[in-house]
Every structure is written in structure tokens, then in C-alpha cells.
Amino acid sequence: MKPASFKYACPTSVQEAVGLLQHFGDDAKVLAGGQSLVPMMNGRLAQPDVLIDINQIAELRVLEVNGGLRIGAGVRQRTALESPDVQRVVPVIAEALRHVGHVGIRARGTVGGSIAHADPAAELPTIMLALDATMTVTGAGGQRTVPAEEFFRGVFTTAVEYDELLTGVHVAVPGPASRSAFVEVSRRRGDFALVGAAVSLELIDGAARRVRIALSGVADRPVLAHRAQEFLEGRDPHDPVVREEAGRLAAADLDPASDIHAPGSYRKKVSAVLVKRALSNAVNGE
């Protein structure tokens, strides 16, 4: 199928894009990499009256380390994956990006597009939640920042209002004691994950501190495993028994839905395994 007819706008600044969003409201959709929106338009699942193409906005393509890692919403996923700054400062982001689709998808898809799309199984929302990243959202009143834990609100739903634009993401530079890892299970490489797990912690004198464990594919948004996080605080994650209990606690409160890809009981069981695996990878450098 082909998309329904639409009007097209190509702003060259964030302010111009925000102005267009204000003017057209819910009738407009933002086009970045198009890897999610275009297939939905072709299938008539999305029928915007106006398409606002943000690919000519240079400020959205900034990727820099300046008091933290800042990734503009328009940065291509492949650019972030191959960035020396990302690999040096927060390599777990590159680790997660390797699981996103295939080479062609990463070459067009953007970091901000995946985050704003908010698919519950997507890698980037999950890793940003684990890293306690901050999203920058711009509207007519200026910029505001939203913590990842408040940004994702449901299936394909975020804190971005109809007249606002996600313009970037900021991740604090991890200290020397930081450890992190990302793992997922999918039917085939490049498929959306059935379940994913991201772990971030500090390892101080053999004990875990500032633990964050995020899971994807188990709810209507990426979620934190609060009980597992609390259990791990002050304990040695090198201990297999500790990791086993953390995995059990992470899965205990989950109630994943069943679908054509996997039953909820399977997702719940896999969640425990992936949390253990991610912890092992993080602290053992695997």
C-alpha cells in the first residue's frame, strides 16, 4: 500500500519546526529517519495531514561530550554506534545500538526517533532508562528536561506534547567505578526483542551501588526492577547467588502480556535470566 496524501514541510531550525507543530497540532507528524513512521503510513495505520521533515535541522545532529554525553535527536543510530565519543564515554549505548534492526535501518533511523516512538521492546528507551538519561524537549516556551523515568508513559506515548519536539538526550559521564551491560533475546537478529535487559551500577570495594536495572518487552513501556535494585545495593554482584536472587526479584513483579510472538510466562522467565546475564556481563567485563 501507499500512504494517504499529505502536505510536506521541511524546517531548517527547531523554532520553525515547533511553530509548524503549534500551527497544525495533532494533524502533523514529525519525520526523522522514517523507519517506524513510513511503514505505518504505507499501511494507513498513520495518516497525518502534514509531514514535518526535521532532517535539515543541523542543531539536531550534534553529538558531543560537554559535561556529559549529549546526543541530538537527529543523530543517526549508525553515527552514534560508530562514534568514538560514545564508545569511550558510554560504550553500553553502542552495545545496545548493535541490536537495533539491521545496517540499513541504523543508517537511516535516528536516536531521537526511536526514543520518541517509545516502542516497549525498543533498545534505546531501555538503555536510556537504565542510564538515568535526561531528555530535552523544546516547545514555544523554550526547553524543558524530562528524566527517562518520567518520559515514557505507555505504548508509543511519551511526555512530549503535540506542539513540542524531542531535541536531544543527555547522559552523565560514568565514573571509573561504573559498570553496565545490555542483553536481549529475539527470534532472529534484527527482530524486535522479546525481552531486553540493561544494567548500570557502580562497583565500590566489591559492592554494588547506584544500581539501575531496566527491562523491555515486559510492559507497556520500559520499566525499572525496583526490588532487584534495592536488593543489590551493598551486595557483591560477582556472587552467582546474589545474581540469581536479583534475577528472581526482577521478574517477580512482572505481568507481561502474551502475544503472537511469546506467552507472558515465557517473557517473565526470560527476564530473570537476562538480568542475571546482564549483571554478569557488567561486573565481569564479558
Side-chain angles (χ1 to χ4, degrees), residues 230-283:
E230 293 168 4
F231 168 78
L232 278 166
E233 286 288 337
R235 288 185 165 87
D236 182 2
H238 291 98
D239 186 342
V241 175
V242 170
R243 295 198 300 267
E244 181 78 26
E245 180 63 7
R248 187 191 71 79
L249 289 171
D253 296 329
L254 299 177
D255 186 21
S258 298
D259 57 26
I260 61 172
H261 302 293
S265 58
Y266 173 81
R267 295 180 190 271
K268 189 180 179 87
K269 184 178 294 185
V270 169
S271 297
V273 174
L274 290 188
V275 167
K276 291 186 293 182
R277 187 177 299 169
L279 284 168
S280 178
N281 290 355
V283 299

Side-chain angles (χ1 to χ4, degrees), residues 150-247:
E150 300 173 14
F151 185 81
F152 303 104
R153 297 186 174 177
V155 179
F156 308 138
T157 306
T158 71
V160 180
E161 300 293 341
Y162 75 92
D163 57 351
E164 293 181 317
L165 184 68
L166 173 66
T167 50
V169 57
H170 179 272
V171 179
V173 175
S178 295
R179 304 288 186 273
S180 55
F182 178 87
V183 294
E184 71 175 35
V185 168
S186 59
R187 289 186 176 274
R188 298 171 300 181
R189 185 166 183 82
D191 284 1
F192 274 104
L194 298 176
V195 181
V199 167
S200 174
L201 56 86
E202 291 182 357
L203 194 59
I204 301 174
D205 295 329
R209 304 291 182 187
R210 297 170 62 92
V211 183
R212 290 178 71 88
I213 301 171
L215 291 160
S216 65
V218 295
D220 65 349
R221 69 198 79 180
V223 294
L224 290 173
H226 292 287
R227 281 212 291 164
Q229 292 174 175
E230 293 168 4
F231 168 78
L232 278 166
E233 286 288 337
R235 288 185 165 87
D236 182 2
H238 291 98
D239 186 342
V241 175
V242 170
R243 295 198 300 267
E244 181 78 26
E245 180 63 7

